Amino acid sequence: MRISLRLILIASVAACAPMLPEAPPVTAVAGTRTPAPVAPDGPAPATPAPAVIDQAGFEGWKQGFLSRHGGARRAEYEHELAGLEPDPSVIRLDRNQPEFSRPAGAYVQSAASATRIAQGRARTDRVPWEVTQRFGVPTEILVSIWGNESAFGAIQGDYDVIRSLATLAYEGRRRDWAEAQLKDALDIVLDGRRDRAGLKGSWAGAMGQTQFMPDNYLRLGVDQTGDGKVDIWGSDADSLASAANLLAQAGWKRGQSWGYEVVLPAGFDYAEAEGPRHDWRYWSGRGVTLARGGAPNAAEAQEDGVILLPQGARGPAFLALPNHYVIRRYNNSVSYALAIGLTADGIAGKPGLVATWPDDAPLSRDQRLGAQRALTALGYDTQGVDGVVGANTRAALRRWQIAEGRLADGYLTADLADELIRRAG
């Protein structure tokens, strides 16, 4: 069956959501949330049951928000929030983020597709020379983010940003974060930076061609065109310069890659993956080699890197350098950061991966939650049960694998999730 490109893109933008930082810290830059608008692999997952909304509870939250954050603007905030109802689709989408439910290979291969790479190459001339010189972020990285965030501005999301953020704050999973973003969104409107009707974005509140959250728009938005406003919705130049500023402020290292595909030797201690950082001398001394041969450049070789196994010991392995974690300030997901890096590599004309991705089944929300509960019950705390299989969950799984005498790659498959759930009763 043929699916229209626009429907695919709209569905993908609907899949974006903000993350709490879990990556090793780079700088105090709040990450934005971002989509990867590409065609899904295989059949679509079953649609979760709609979230149940308690309007009275929402009104109670709203009064609490106004008390906590209203201050001198309480009456103005109350006016903007009058008659607002929470959006059940926002809660449903927040609980089913593709970066954390789909296998990394399926996500990356879709996001870093040959079509996306070709489209990116055709748009490299849209990045102002002054932007790359000022901020030091390569053109291919900026174009890769642009394409993955909004299909180069074509699909930016049509959710009411204020309603989305109010819904996320009411839901409560990340209330402090969502309320701070909501306050910034209200200020954008009240200060005349953007009218309410035009404050549209993803279901998670990310806005414009490069999907900035409200706080980043206020702090890091760049008026590249010099027309007196930061227009990340209509101006390519403002959007790309703002993204470059975010990455530069997060610590982007000029002249360095985000990382490399590597080959691990027989007998490699997989428990070292996502562990302490080490320089290239350390990793090469343990038999790690670049998949395409050669070595990192002199500056990169001095940096501390981390071995990543996004789909376990059976999938590709990567040496993640500091710029990988800078990308994760945009979206704190290993899959997302790899997609951006590999798309950028393709745009720059570098060859693709040597290793192939395993064809693993996706994890259901029940499996993700169940595995987290099981690990915690078995004595391996995942630092929360939220259905997001991030670094804390992978670390807990690795500890369990070591205790069980298994290969400790920290990769949660559907079968392993089911086993953990059975073991925990």
Side-chain angles (χ1 to χ4, degrees):
M1 179 176 67
R2 184 168 181 160
I3 303 174
S4 76
L5 177 60
R6 181 169 178 81
L7 286 177
I8 289 170
L9 295 177
I10 290 172
S12 301
V13 169
C16 77
M19 294 290 95
L20 284 176
E22 194 176 286
V26 183
T27 61
V29 178
T32 63
R33 245 342 250 125
T34 49
V38 289
D41 293 0
T47 301
V52 176
I53 296 296
D54 173 9
Q55 186 63 36
F58 180 75
E59 290 299 322
W61 161 80
K62 187 164 66 175
Q63 292 306 311
F65 167 80
L66 293 170
S67 296
R68 289 186 292 273
H69 301 283
R73 278 193 152 172
R74 176 169 181 145
E76 294 175 286
Y77 289 173
E78 191 163 18
H79 175 76
E80 291 296 331
L81 296 174
L84 196 69
E85 296 182 355
D87 187 341
S89 69
V90 168
I91 296 176
R92 174 174 57 81
L93 290 164
D94 183 48
R95 295 172 179 174
N96 292 274
Q97 300 167 39
E99 298 93 324
F100 296 92
S101 58
R102 297 174 70 192
Y107 181 93
V108 170
Q109 290 177 96
S110 292
S113 66
T115 299
R116 171 64 50 72
I117 289 169
Q119 292 171 336
R121 284 178 181 163
R123 290 168 170 80
T124 55
D125 62 348
R126 305 295 290 275
V127 181
W129 179 85
E130 296 86 354
V131 168
T132 58
Q133 294 304 300
R134 175 183 176 186
F135 298 108
V137 181
T139 292
E140 58 268 22
I141 289 288
L142 296 175
V143 171
S144 177
I145 288 174
W146 190 23
N148 276 282
E149 293 299 335
S150 67
F152 310 103
I155 304 296
Q156 300 180 28
D158 59 1
Y159 281 79
D160 176 350
V161 166
I162 287 175
R163 185 186 184 197
S164 291
L165 292 170
T167 301
L168 290 170
Y170 155 72
E171 179 194 24
R173 187 166 73 88
R174 291 158 305 187
R175 177 162 290 169
D176 291 344
W177 171 87
E179 287 191 352
Q181 295 293 339
L182 175 59
K183 183 181 187 302
D184 286 340
L186 290 165
D187 287 341
I188 289 170
V189 172
L190 294 174
D191 291 341
R193 297 171 185 266
R194 184 80 172 175
D195 63 69
R196 174 66 181 274
L199 200 69
K200 300 291 187 181
S202 75
W203 63 263
M207 310 178 300
Q209 297 191 42
T210 45
Q211 294 287 278
F212 263 38
M213 295 305 296
D215 67 329
N216 283 335
Y217 173 82
L218 291 174
R219 294 187 304 108
L220 301 169
V222 175
D223 174 19
Q224 181 64 26
T225 61
D227 63 357
K229 61 181 179 180
V230 177
D231 183 8
I232 60 173
W233 295 268
S235 169
D236 298 353
D238 285 8
S239 300
L240 293 163
S242 297
N245 189 31
L246 187 155
L247 295 174
Q249 293 297 321
W252 187 270
K253 293 181 177 290
R254 293 174 183 251
Q256 295 188 25
S257 173
W258 61 271
Y260 294 91
E261 183 188 8
V262 295
V263 175
L264 306 179
F268 181 78
D269 182 3
Y270 286 94
E272 286 203 85
E274 271 193 295
R277 301 182 182 194
H278 299 288
D279 63 16
W280 178 241
R281 181 179 179 182
Y282 176 92
W283 292 119
S284 62
R286 278 154 179 73
V288 177
T289 59
L290 300 191
R292 294 284 180 180
N297 68 35
E300 293 166 347
Q302 298 301 312
E303 299 287 355
D304 287 338
V306 175
I307 299 297
L308 297 180
L309 302 170
Q311 210 160 332
R314 296 180 297 114
F318 299 91
L319 174 68
L321 295 171
N323 283 340
H324 166 86
Y325 292 99
V326 173
I327 295 170
R328 282 170 65 172
R329 288 297 183 177
Y330 225 107
N331 175 336
N332 188 26
S333 156
V334 173
S335 294
Y336 174 83
L338 287 175
I340 294 299
L342 292 170
T343 301
D345 285 353
I347 292 170
K350 296 179 182 179
L353 298 180
V354 173
T356 57
W357 294 100
D359 185 19
D360 291 333
L363 293 168
S364 70
R365 177 171 170 79
D366 286 345
Q367 286 173 318
R368 285 177 276 134
L369 289 169
Q372 288 177 322
R373 290 192 188 100
L375 284 167
T376 300
L378 292 168
Y380 305 93
D381 191 358
T382 61
Q383 305 298 311
V385 177
D386 58 3
V388 175
V389 181
N392 291 331
T393 300
R394 292 191 294 271
L397 177 58
R398 225 175 251 112
R399 294 194 298 272
W400 178 81
Q401 289 171 322
I402 291 170
E404 293 288 312
R406 304 192 186 193
L407 189 150
D409 62 359
Y411 179 56
L412 184 65
T413 64
D415 288 342
L416 189 51
D418 290 342
E419 179 186 345
L420 286 165
I421 293 168
R422 288 195 302 271
R423 285 208 179 195

